[in-house]
Amino acid sequence: MRYNLCMRILGIETSCDETAVCLIEAEGNFGSDFSWSLLGNALISQAAMHAEFGGVFPNLAKREHAKNLVPLLKEVLHQMDILPLPRTVLGTQRTVLDEVMQREPELLAQLIPFLEQHGKPDIDAIAVTYGPGLEPALWVGINFAKALSLVWDIPIVAVNHMEGHIVLSMMEHSDILKNVRVSEFEFPVLALLISGGHTELVLSKTFDEYRLIGQTRDDAAGEAFDKVARLLGLGYPGGPEISRLAAESRLHGLPLHTPTLPRPMLREDNFDFSFSGLKTAVLRLVEGKELSGEEKMGLAREFEDAVADVLVGKTMRAIEEYGANTVVVGGGVSANTEIRRRLASTLSTANCQLLIPPPELATDNAIMIALAGYFHALKKEYADPATLSAKGNLELTT
Ligand code: KG4
Ligand code: ZN
């Protein structure tokens, strides 16, 4: 039996190279009466497949999402022990399904037998990422959500992926993810969002209100990690590889023979970033050279230091300008140990609280989508399936 004021939200994330599905149960408004539990969670990372392209290849991502979604949904439903249910008879819904899934024939081929074998699970709403991200990839998740919403007759919540990172970062840390509560913190909150596609500073004076105050003018921080890793002959994704080399260099106390790299826009009086010049500076240093292991380590370390200096410097500038009491950090790059360490030590001197998810929740997942979706579902902010579409460049400003 479940408490009748709580909601069960199915989360779906397909904006980049992670296909993820989860189910959460949540109750209460944002604040002290809110709590949530994870009932099921499944994720397939396509990172290894995209490695040979040195980045995410949109059509490959789309194909893999289509292949992964039904198996992941099955796994999530099994984890919450509600299968099997009485069969669903599709009847006339079949024709509408064919129409909704016109562009997803592979996904439809798996979905029809799944729906026919299983009944409607005990779920109140479906939260799906509708942007920002790669549009072909986003569409797969959206069409999947539309199909499930139609057959199960439950509403869809369209979620901004970046809001997902922010909301998850605001939760307490817990190993078991049962009865998790909101962390104790004060607004204004400054969110530093650092991923493969984004580098943004977002200000929230209250929950649910966002103002974009700065962003990258060219490459995102994660993209710079990935490109520099490629220049150094390292694998994809580049962030963890660079971080590993840099840590080794620090551990051995190796002298830095590397020339100092630029700290782009650090001294400029704004909250924007630029990382493409940093990548070009590394290119100049490695072009036509065979680097030794030690040289690679030194460059990885100097590059990581440069990115960390800029991210921390700009965040501090924004804290001062807007009187932020809390900084939340989200996105894949926030898994970086050195950046975490620097943010923690600098913010503690500024009397500003730092909220940062554990590294395994810092990268893309469906939990963040289900959580952000829950708060919209509470306010009955549902999407119209007829007009819901992917928004690759969706901004986070309310
Ligand atoms: O948020 P995310 O999983 O996906 C999106 O881009 O939305 O972020 C992926 C990015 C990649 O560019 C990857 O290189 C970077 O996060 N990343 C890291 C680390 N782990 C992942 N960057 C630096 N250090 C890390 N430890
Ligand atoms: Zn992300």
Side-chain angles (χ1 to χ4, degrees):
M1 266 303 276
R2 66 171 166 131
Y3 180 46
N4 63 6
L5 284 180
C6 72
M7 265 196 227
R8 284 187 175 170
I9 311 279
L10 184 77
I12 299 169
E13 158 63 34
T14 65
S15 68
C16 192
D17 60 348
E18 257 94 31
T19 325
V21 179
C22 81
L23 191 76
I24 65 161
E25 187 167 275
E27 62 178 274
N29 285 304
F30 187 86
S32 55
D33 67 338
F34 173 70
S35 78
W36 65 280
S37 297
L38 185 63
L39 303 183
N41 188 34
L43 179 147
I44 295 176
S45 170
Q46 306 165 12
M49 293 194 158
H50 295 280
E52 64 178 291
F53 302 101
V56 183
F57 191 64
N59 282 334
L60 176 63
K62 172 183 156 66
R63 196 189 72 197
E64 290 302 304
H65 289 315
K67 202 164 88 187
N68 296 338
L69 278 170
V70 171
L72 290 177
L73 176 63
K74 273 189 198 162
E75 197 183 322
V76 165
L77 296 181
H78 277 293
Q79 283 173 18
M80 61 178 281
D81 267 350
I82 61 165
L83 287 180
L85 292 170
R87 290 161 52 91
T88 300
V89 179
L90 289 174
T92 52
Q93 286 171 325
R94 184 56 219 265
T95 328
V96 193
L97 258 184
D98 282 342
E99 205 174 299
V100 169
M101 299 287 269
Q102 244 182 61
R103 313 193 77 150
E104 317 291 349
E106 304 88 1
L107 180 54
L108 184 64
Q110 288 191 67
L111 188 60
I112 297 287
F114 168 82
L115 289 171
E116 285 174 345
Q117 283 156 20
H118 306 103
K120 173 183 172 179
D122 187 6
I123 294 172
D124 300 291
I126 302 167
V128 64
T129 309
Y130 77 116
L134 304 167
E135 287 200 357
L138 288 163
W139 270 114
V140 186
I142 291 172
N143 286 330
F144 187 56
K146 285 186 185 182
L148 294 178
S149 152
L150 176 88
V151 176
W152 290 341
D153 193 23
I154 49 178
I156 300 179
V157 186
V159 176
N160 182 312
H161 179 91
M162 306 317 278
E163 182 178 28
H165 278 301
I166 295 179
V167 174
L168 179 57
S169 301
M170 288 176 170
M171 299 298 147
E172 280 184 339
H173 297 173
S174 145
D175 290 339
I176 49 165
L177 299 181
K178 291 272 177 285
N179 291 315
V180 187
R181 298 187 165 272
V182 177
S183 289
E184 271 187 34
F185 64 87
E186 281 178 27
F187 287 90
V189 169
L190 182 70
L192 172 67
L193 301 172
I194 38 180
S195 69
H198 292 84
T199 303
E200 293 177 354
L201 279 167
V202 176
L203 184 74
S204 296
K205 290 197 171 148
T206 57
F207 177 68
D208 219 359
E209 180 221 272
Y210 307 100
R211 189 176 139 208
L212 182 67
I213 58 165
Q215 61 186 319
T216 183
R217 294 188 182 171
D218 40 57
D219 292 351
E223 193 178 356
F225 268 98
D226 296 334
K227 287 179 174 170
V228 168
R230 215 170 172 201
L231 292 174
L232 297 180
L234 306 169
Y236 174 86
E241 296 278 317
I242 293 210
S243 174
R244 186 177 50 78
L245 281 194
E248 228 174 297
S249 161
R250 287 188 197 98
L251 183 71
H252 299 303
L254 295 177
L256 263 183
H257 297 301
T258 313
T260 308
L261 291 170
R263 266 59 176 165
M265 301 186 71
L266 180 57
R267 306 266 159 244
E268 285 184 30
D269 192 16
N270 57 43
F271 307 102
D272 284 346
F273 302 88
S274 163
F275 292 105
S276 76
L278 198 47
K279 170 207 64 195
T280 313
V282 174
L283 174 67
R284 298 256 153 73
L285 292 173
V286 304
E287 236 170 355
K289 286 201 198 116
E290 191 67 48
L291 295 184
S292 70
E294 203 168 298
E295 281 171 323
K296 281 189 188 175
M297 275 189 225
L299 253 179
R301 180 173 154 193
E302 172 60 15
F303 170 76
E304 192 176 65
D305 282 346
V307 175
D309 281 350
V310 174
L311 292 176
V312 175
K314 288 278 174 168
T315 303
M316 286 304 293
R317 183 187 287 271
I319 291 170
E320 281 157 25
E321 172 79 19
Y322 295 102
N325 288 313
T326 308
V327 168
V328 306
V329 188
V333 182
S334 66
N336 183 283
T337 315
E338 181 63 13
I339 293 170
R340 293 171 85 90
R341 190 188 65 72
R342 299 247 208 130
L343 280 168
S345 72
T346 313
L347 290 191
S348 71
T349 61
N351 223 355
C352 188
Q353 192 178 344
L354 175 65
L355 300 177
I356 191 163
E360 64 279 10
L361 291 179
T363 47
D364 291 351
N365 60 75
I367 303 172
M368 62 192 227
I369 304 307
L371 271 174
Y374 166 76
F375 292 106
H376 290 289
L378 262 189
K379 293 191 279 179
K380 304 222 174 327
E381 288 169 357
Y382 296 125
D384 174 0
T387 53
L388 175 60
S389 56
K391 302 259 183 302
N393 297 318
L394 184 66
E395 280 201 359
L396 185 59
T397 295
T398 47

